[in-house]
Amino acid sequence: MPKLLLFVPCQKVLIDQDNTISTVSIIQEMWLEAGATVPPDFQAAVRWDVVTLWFRLPEDDGRTFEQVVMLLTSDGTMTSHTKLQFSMSTPFHRTLSYMYGFQVGQPGTHHLELKLKDMANESSFIQEHTFPMLLNHRTKPETGRTA
């Protein structure tokens, strides 16, 4: 089973001409400023990325794996996910998941979950990891006019 070296959500991933990656603005805590109550299922129209980096172990040669990344809100509702398959043909394997939208109506700790399974045994996930992401709400002060 490959060893997970990196699992991080960020605003953007940059890939240079040498195929080296850089992450921009790791997402660990966010603030939503709202003038009124936000509906619990409100989605912010934002694109963000998730990077994983795996290290091949000797028993990984010739095996295919499936990676699933899911975003769960503070109440456990899954709001987005990606799924992809890969084989460990080199010592390191990098995946990029492009996520669209972020449900911001529920403040609290959201969880980005990573699951991996060996496709030779599709019945269960064999590795699971979680990255907590804190979402805070801040109410804008009302600007009222006085006569």
Side-chain angles (χ1 to χ4, degrees), residues 33-46:
E33 291 198 25
T37 304
V38 179
D41 60 349
F42 183 77
Q43 284 269 0
V46 61

Side-chain angles (χ1 to χ4, degrees), residues 55-67:
F55 180 69
R56 181 181 67 195
L57 299 177
E59 63 269 18
D60 298 331
D61 285 336
R63 299 175 89 159
T64 300
F65 301 95
E66 181 178 84
Q67 171 184 297

Side-chain angles (χ1 to χ4, degrees), residues 78-106:
M78 183 178 66
T79 59
S80 60
H81 75 284
T82 64
K83 183 187 299 188
L84 59 91
Q85 290 185 6
F86 66 91
S87 298
M88 295 294 300
S89 57
T90 60
F92 296 94
H93 185 82
R94 174 181 69 214
T95 66
L96 303 177
S97 298
Y98 303 109
M99 312 294 275
Y100 297 93
F102 198 101
Q103 192 165 325
V104 295
Q106 297 178 35

